[in-house]
């Protein structure tokens, strides 16, 4: 038999109706086979008591077995079939080799049981196949199993089986009784067969209805899930847009307030210093100190406001050209020699990697000049074993113990967010080493850059 996969049980209502129908089929088949076996056994005893065995034996095709053995075998086979059905209903058994073995055993028990009642009833085949159909979900497999059930039903008929194996017919057994009693026995068997066929067809109708309801329920759940996904996607987009809008407004307000305040103060202060330089050089010097302090504070405020914005150079230029431009401008503005060399062979990295490298170089060179008083800085970038290595070293003062300020802390956080690590060492000058996983530029990012280039042209 085909080994079914583990499947979910049908909906509660459908499962209850199917189970009730299957139980009724089982009870009817038990009554039928026990009635037929009992009728045969009763006939054997009546023949023995009436001392007409010699005459009756001439009507039999083969000699019957002991009556009590026949009755016990029929009842035992049926009980084992019911036990097998109960075991297969356990979820831990479904989909296992034991499940397949039980199916094979059931078929063997059915054949043995039918042989013990001289093939006088084959409706039990529908009972077993109805139970098989409960576990098959695909329509095509069900159709195949249903066709197989009818073939087995026809093949298990007395007329076909006795062509190969001689057996005593039920009509022969009831011929011992009067015509009225014989017709009663045959009528009872016919009624049982018809009821079994009707119940089996009802079971199939219930199974089809249950499948349709289950498919409708699944279709409805899929539609609800799709609708919920669409609503969730729409909500996420709205939330993202609202977040971007709030962030743009916040940055715009902070930049406007900070730069407006600082630039106004510097402008007024410079004008005042220009006036005081002629009258009181000492006062002009004090004024310039105040302006310088204001500029430093303003620079910190601006950094906090725009630290999440992408550098303009990365928007306009390629990655290596943007770094080259940055170090050249820093070198000219501070009279510091900065050497930049790249061994990445023109590789293109993801936007987050490029921005992390750019900001790390920017922050490290600034710290080298401002704090280390360096006159020469070396920036080297290379790739090895799928890892990007950035090293910035200088000939500055260095330090044995480094206190992590805003710049280093922000640089470390940015590197860690990109999945990398950051090290520094200050024994001879100061050296910063950034290690990042290589993530190349995605097609979407490359297309966006091309579109920007076309727009600018």
């Amino acid at each position: 038999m085909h080994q079914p996969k583990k499947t979910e049980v049908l909906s509660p209502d459908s499962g209850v109706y199917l189970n009730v129908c299957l139980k009724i089929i089982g009870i009817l088949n038990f009554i039928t086979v026990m009635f037929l076996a009992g009728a045969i056994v009763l006939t054997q005893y009546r023949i023995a008591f009436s001392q007409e065995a010699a005459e009756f034996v001439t009507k039999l095709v083969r000699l019957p077995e002991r009556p009590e053995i026949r009755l016990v075998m029929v009842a035992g086979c049926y009980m084992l079939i019911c036990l097998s059905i109960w075991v297969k209903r356990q979820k831990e058994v479904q989909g296992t080799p034991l499940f397949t073995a039980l199916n094979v055993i059931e078929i063997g028990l059915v054949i043995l049981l039918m042989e013990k009642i001289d093939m006088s009833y084959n409706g039990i085949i529908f009972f077993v196949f109805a139970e098989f159909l409960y576990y098959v979900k695909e329509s095509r497999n069900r159709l195949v199993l249903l066709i197989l059930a009818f073939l087995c039903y026809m093949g298990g008929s007395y007329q076909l089986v006795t062509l190969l194996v001689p057996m005593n017919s039920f009509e022969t057994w009831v011929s011992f009784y009067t015509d009225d009693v014989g017709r009663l026995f045959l009528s009872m068997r016919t009624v049982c067969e018809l009821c079994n066929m009707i119940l089996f067809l009802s079971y199939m109708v219930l199974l089809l209805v249950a499948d349709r309801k289950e498919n409708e329920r699944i279709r409805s759940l899929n539609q609800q899930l799709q609708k919920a996904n669409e609503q969730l996607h729409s909500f996420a987009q709205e939330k993202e847009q609202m977040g971007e809008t709030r962030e743009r407004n916040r940055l715009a307000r902070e930049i406007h307030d900070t730069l407006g305040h600082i630039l106004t103060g510097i402008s007024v202060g410079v004008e005042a210093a220009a006036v005081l330089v002629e009258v009181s050089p000492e006062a002009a010097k004090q004024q310039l100190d105040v302006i310088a302090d204001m500029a430093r504070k303003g620079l910190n405020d601006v950094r906090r406001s725009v630290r999440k914005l992408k550098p303009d150079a990365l928007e306009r230029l390629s990655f290596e050209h943007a770094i080259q431009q940055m170090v050249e401008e820093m070198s000219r503005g501070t009279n510091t020699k900065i050497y930049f060399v790249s061994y990445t062979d023109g590789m293109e990295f993801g936007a987050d990697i490029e921005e992390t490298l750019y900001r790390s170089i920017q922050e490290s060179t600034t710290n080298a000049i401002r704090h280390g008083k360096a006159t020469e800085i070396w920036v080297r970038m290379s790739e090895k074993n799928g890892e990007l290595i950035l090293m910035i070293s200088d000939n500055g003062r260095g330090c044995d113990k480094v206190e992590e300020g805003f710049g280093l802390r922000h640089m470390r956080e940015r590197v860690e967010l990109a999945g990398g690590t950051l090290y520094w060492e200050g024994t001879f000058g100061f050296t910063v080493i950034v290690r990042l996983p290589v993530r190349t530029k995605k097609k979407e990012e490359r297309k966006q850059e091309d579109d920007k280039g076309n727009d600018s042209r």
Side-chain angles (χ1 to χ4, degrees):
M1 289 297 296
H2 170 69
Q3 180 173 327
K5 298 178 182 178
K6 281 191 177 181
T7 53
E8 294 296 330
V9 181
L10 297 171
S11 60
D13 292 340
S14 302
V16 170
Y17 295 146
L18 287 170
N19 287 330
V20 170
C21 187
L22 190 62
K23 287 178 181 178
I24 295 174
I25 296 174
I27 293 172
L28 176 62
N29 276 272
F30 178 73
I31 294 173
T32 303
V33 297
M34 292 306 295
F35 159 70
L36 295 172
I40 295 172
V41 170
L42 178 62
T43 303
Q44 289 181 262
Y45 279 122
R46 286 177 65 89
I47 293 171
F49 292 150
S50 63
Q51 297 181 355
E52 297 179 2
E55 180 184 351
F56 189 77
V57 165
T58 60
K59 298 180 181 180
L60 299 178
V61 177
R62 68 174 183 175
L63 293 176
E65 59 188 346
R66 293 177 61 86
E68 58 273 15
I69 294 178
R70 182 190 301 269
L71 202 60
V72 171
M73 288 292 293
V74 170
C77 287
Y78 201 89
M79 292 298 103
L80 289 176
I81 292 173
C82 293
L83 177 62
S84 174
I85 292 174
W86 179 82
V87 172
K88 289 196 300 183
R89 287 300 176 95
Q90 312 306 312
K91 289 186 177 180
E92 58 271 15
V93 175
Q94 296 174 18
T96 65
L98 177 60
F99 188 94
T100 303
L102 290 174
N103 288 333
V104 175
I105 292 173
E106 284 181 27
I107 295 175
L109 290 171
V110 167
I111 295 173
L112 179 60
L113 188 151
M114 291 172 62
E115 189 271 335
K116 292 303 176 183
I117 57 176
D118 290 338
M119 306 302 294
S120 57
Y121 175 73
N122 56 356
I124 191 172
I125 292 174
F126 285 142
F127 171 53
V128 174
F129 272 89
E131 195 266 336
F132 289 167
L133 287 167
Y134 183 84
Y135 301 99
V136 179
K137 302 304 177 184
E138 293 80 5
S139 300
R140 183 177 61 182
N141 293 339
R142 276 185 176 170
L143 179 60
V144 172
L145 198 60
L146 189 61
I147 294 173
L148 185 60
F150 278 100
L151 291 176
C152 291
Y153 178 79
M154 291 186 296
S157 64
Y158 175 82
Q159 289 78 9
L160 289 178
V161 173
T162 52
L163 293 176
L164 301 175
V165 181
M167 286 189 177
N168 302 314
S169 67
F170 187 69
E171 286 78 3
T172 303
W173 289 109
V174 299
S175 65
F176 175 79
Y177 302 94
T178 63
D179 292 341
D180 292 338
V181 175
R183 281 194 296 270
L184 178 62
F185 282 172
L186 294 175
S187 298
M188 290 178 65
R189 184 185 68 170
T190 302
V191 170
C192 290
E193 288 177 343
L194 289 174
C195 290
N196 184 65
M197 181 69 72
I198 293 171
L199 285 171
F200 179 74
L201 293 176
S202 301
Y203 181 85
M204 291 303 304
V205 171
L206 287 174
L207 199 61
L208 293 174
V209 172
D211 280 350
R212 187 180 66 180
K213 288 183 178 180
E214 187 70 11
N215 291 334
E216 291 176 354
R217 187 176 70 88
I218 293 174
R219 192 181 303 110
S220 176
L221 290 175
N222 287 335
Q223 291 175 352
Q224 294 177 13
L225 181 60
Q226 184 178 1
K227 185 177 180 181
N229 286 336
E230 291 175 355
Q231 292 176 347
L232 183 62
H233 182 66
S234 176
F235 175 74
Q237 287 182 331
E238 291 178 1
K239 187 175 181 181
E240 183 179 358
Q241 292 175 355
M242 291 173 62
E244 291 177 354
T245 301
R246 285 197 299 267
E247 185 64 15
R248 283 197 298 267
N249 292 337
R250 184 189 70 81
L251 290 173
R253 286 195 302 269
E254 290 192 10
I255 291 173
H256 174 270
D257 295 342
T258 301
L259 289 180
H261 174 76
I262 297 302
L263 293 178
T264 300
I266 292 175
S267 176
V268 174
V270 169
E271 291 178 357
V275 173
L276 290 174
V277 73
E278 297 284 343
V279 179
S280 176
E282 188 64 28
K285 183 179 178 181
Q286 292 178 357
Q287 182 67 24
L288 290 175
D289 290 339
V290 172
I291 294 172
D293 184 62
M294 183 184 299
R296 282 192 296 270
K297 292 179 179 179
L299 180 61
N300 291 331
D301 290 339
V302 171
R303 281 178 174 172
R304 279 195 300 270
S305 299
V306 301
R307 63 173 175 247
K308 293 184 179 180
L309 295 178
K310 189 175 181 179
D312 180 66
L314 290 179
E315 292 284 353
R316 295 182 292 101
L317 304 173
S318 66
F319 173 58
E320 292 192 6
H321 287 167
I323 295 178
Q324 192 68 44
Q325 183 187 71
M326 176 183 64
V327 298
E328 289 177 358
E329 290 177 352
M330 179 69 75
S331 180
R332 288 196 302 268
T334 60
N335 291 324
T336 304
K337 294 180 180 180
I338 304 177
Y339 308 98
F340 170 67
V341 59
S342 174
Y343 299 99
T344 57
D345 298 328
M347 294 176 63
E348 294 183 337
F349 307 106
D352 59 334
I353 298 296
E354 289 185 353
E355 186 173 354
T356 300
L357 294 171
Y358 186 92
R359 291 301 192 188
S360 299
I361 295 172
Q362 189 179 53
E363 181 66 26
S364 298
T365 53
T366 301
N367 289 341
I369 296 171
R370 178 184 301 169
H371 303 296
K373 307 301 180 183
T375 58
E376 291 185 347
I377 302 173
W378 295 268
V379 179
R380 187 178 66 180
M381 189 166 59
S382 60
E383 184 271 333
K384 184 179 180 181
N385 298 329
E387 188 177 47
L388 191 61
I389 303 172
L390 173 66
M391 180 182 293
I392 305 104
S393 56
D394 62 64
N395 64 345
R397 294 181 300 187
C399 56
D400 295 330
K401 186 178 180 181
V402 180
E403 293 185 4
E404 188 179 277
F406 174 80
L408 283 177
R409 183 174 67 253
H410 184 57
M411 183 165 56
R412 177 176 54 79
E413 291 173 354
R414 186 187 294 274
V415 170
E416 290 176 352
L417 283 174
T421 54
L422 176 69
Y423 308 93
W424 57 70
E425 193 274 328
T427 304
F428 301 100
F430 198 82
T431 300
V432 175
I433 300 175
V434 176
R435 294 179 177 270
L436 292 169
V438 174
R439 286 198 295 274
T440 57
K441 189 169 294 184
K442 297 179 180 178
K443 292 181 180 179
E444 292 79 2
E445 296 176 358
R446 196 175 293 112
K447 185 176 182 300
Q448 290 177 0
E449 291 187 355
D450 294 340
D451 292 341
K452 288 180 181 179
N454 295 332
D455 294 340
S456 63
R457 288 193 291 270

